[in-house]
């Protein structure tokens, strides 16, 4: 497969998606500011990049899997090497200052127009059950690329939507629900 995917972030979601891509023979370059996450990847098939720029150069698809608070600084660095033909898919949850959604931050701060948001994902650490995601984008090419990269993945269930705003707002709402549930649990 001639695709290179850059993954920015190396938390659980990034690692699970990256492992699926590696099993399919996709070239995966990963970068994280968190050295513990990077050390956990050592010895694998990953190409561990020393910067966002080095991970993203030449990538067809860039997966940004960082907390929404880090998105502006990640995009600022990525913008220096971004090319208009790249696709960016993010897993960011939350609304940024100025009531900006993640896809708006990406579009306003770099040349990327083909932006996708991953909703869900519902994943299971035992990896015996399916990963279920929604990929939202205004561009069908985003769906086609993600589907093509995931063709050999037997434990991925993917739905698509053109409602990127709905998927991002749902992700932000999901965070609020988790926080409230945690507060209620502690009040027992």
């Amino acid at each position: 497969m001639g695709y290179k995917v850059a993954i920015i972030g190396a938390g659980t979601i990034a690692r699970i998606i990256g492992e699926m891509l590696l099993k399919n023979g996709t070239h995966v370059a990963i970068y994280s500011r968190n050295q513990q996450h990077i050390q956990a990847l050592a010895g694998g098939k990953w190409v561990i990049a020393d910067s966002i720029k080095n991970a993203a150069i030449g990538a067809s698809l860039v997966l940004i899997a960082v907390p929404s608070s880090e998105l502006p600084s990640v995009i600022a660095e990525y913008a220096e090497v971004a090319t208009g033909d790249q696709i960016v898919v993010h897993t960011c949850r939350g609304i940024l200052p100025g009531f900006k959604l993640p896809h708006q931050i990406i579009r306003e701060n770099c040349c990327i127009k083909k932006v996708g948001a991953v909703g869900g994902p519902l994943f299971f650490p035992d990896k015996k059950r399916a990963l279920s995601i929604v990929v939202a984008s205004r561009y069908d090419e985003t769906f086609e690329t993600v589907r093509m990269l995931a063709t050999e993945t037997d434990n991925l269930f993917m739905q698509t939507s053109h409602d990127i705003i709905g998927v991002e707002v749902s992700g932000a709402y999901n965070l609020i629900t988790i926080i409230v549930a945690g507060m209620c649990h502690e009040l027992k």
Side-chain angles (χ1 to χ4, degrees), residues 81-105:
V81 295
T83 61
D85 62 338
Q86 287 176 315
I87 296 171
V88 171
V89 176
H90 73 83
T91 63
C92 300
R93 303 265 191 282
I95 297 172
L96 291 109
F99 202 75
K100 298 277 183 173
L101 294 170
H103 80 277
Q104 294 169 316
I105 297 295

Side-chain angles (χ1 to χ4, degrees), residues 57-174:
I57 290 174
S60 303
L61 184 134
V62 177
L63 172 67
I64 299 175
V66 299
S68 58
S69 60
E70 290 184 31
L71 184 63
S73 65
V74 166
I75 292 304
E77 187 174 339
Y78 167 61
E80 296 176 30
V81 295
T83 61
D85 62 338
Q86 287 176 315
I87 296 171
V88 171
V89 176
H90 73 83
T91 63
C92 300
R93 303 265 191 282
I95 297 172
L96 291 109
F99 202 75
K100 298 277 183 173
L101 294 170
H103 80 277
Q104 294 169 316
I105 297 295
I106 294 167
R107 286 195 178 122
E108 291 173 5
N109 294 288
C110 71
C111 66
I112 300 299
K113 298 299 173 213
K114 298 174 197 161
V115 178
V118 174
L122 301 175
F123 61 89
F124 302 95
D126 62 14
K127 299 180 190 173
K128 293 177 183 167
R129 292 179 272 172
L131 171 68
S132 178
I133 63 172
V134 174
V135 177
S137 178
R138 294 184 178 138
Y139 295 88
D140 289 341
E141 185 181 346
T142 303
F143 308 140
E144 294 162 10
T145 301
V146 172
R147 270 199 187 102
M148 186 269 311
L149 289 169
T151 9
E152 302 298 318
T153 305
D154 56 358
N155 60 344
L156 175 68
F157 180 73
M158 183 178 96
Q159 291 291 328
T160 60
S161 171
H162 287 105
D163 185 10
I164 191 167
I165 293 171
V167 168
E168 288 180 335
V169 170
S170 295
Y173 180 74
N174 184 11

